[in-house]
Amino acid sequence: VLVRATREAGCQVFMSVPSVDERAWATLEPGTAPPAQRLRAARQLADAGVETGVLMMPLVPGITTSRSSVMRTLEAIHHTGVRFVGANVAHFEDGVRQHFFAFLAREYPTLVEGYSELYQRGYAPTGYVRQVKTMVQAAVSRVRAGAPSAP
């Protein structure tokens, strides 16, 4: 169905894979499909001719935004053969914000103060988001060029 929809209507499928870090996945997204399983599905779709992309969303500051984590994730995405990679930083609407901050206090207490400063509203400041997206785009270029991972 998706192959036909791609041919006839320009269908595109996007998978969310914020990080291939198993600890981050297990902590942030318990009960969801593991990143490797999502990437296998993306590869199968791409191999079948479905326009497929992977979205590294949400990137969670201090947990999935390190250069090394982003590079490992992009390298894994690159091996799927998908044509598009996008990324964006997490945002927290009312209700979600309180839930997430309680989660941080339990799982990552050292990040609470920084999150309080970074997320004075539901969205991180534009400058920070731009900085993360620029880092991701530079990493995408390195991966596509076959450059080795930076430590």
Side-chain angles (χ1 to χ4, degrees):
V1 170
L2 291 174
V3 171
R4 187 170 149 214
T6 296
R7 273 195 313 259
E8 296 177 15
C11 170
Q12 296 178 315
V13 174
F14 295 90
M15 304 289 261
S16 172
V17 182
S19 176
V20 294
D21 180 302
E22 292 287 323
R23 180 178 184 271
W25 160 72
T27 306
L28 292 166
E29 300 183 302
T32 64
Q37 185 176 344
R38 296 182 213 182
L39 291 172
R40 272 193 310 276
R43 175 158 199 130
Q44 288 175 336
L45 289 168
D47 287 350
V50 175
E51 276 296 316
T52 308
V54 173
L55 303 174
M56 292 175 62
M57 296 169 55
L59 287 173
V60 183
I63 301 172
T64 61
T65 55
S66 71
R67 289 185 198 290
S68 61
S69 176
V70 167
M71 279 299 286
R72 283 192 314 274
T73 303
L74 288 170
E75 287 168 348
I77 292 168
H78 181 71
H79 293 299
T80 67
V82 301
R83 296 180 45 132
F84 176 81
V85 178
N88 207 352
V89 175
H91 69 276
F92 305 104
E93 302 295 332
D94 288 338
V96 173
R97 177 187 171 87
Q98 290 81 357
H99 175 77
F100 190 78
F101 273 64
F103 159 80
L104 280 178
R106 272 190 328 273
E107 300 292 332
Y108 299 94
T110 60
L111 297 179
V112 173
E113 184 177 336
Y115 267 78
S116 295
E117 292 177 25
L118 187 64
Y119 285 97
Q120 293 179 13
R121 293 180 172 70
Y123 290 83
T126 305
Y128 175 78
V129 173
R130 188 176 316 124
Q131 178 184 357
V132 171
K133 286 183 174 184
T134 298
M135 183 260 296
V136 170
Q137 280 309 115
V140 166
S141 296
R142 287 182 59 84
V143 169
R144 286 185 178 154
S149 295

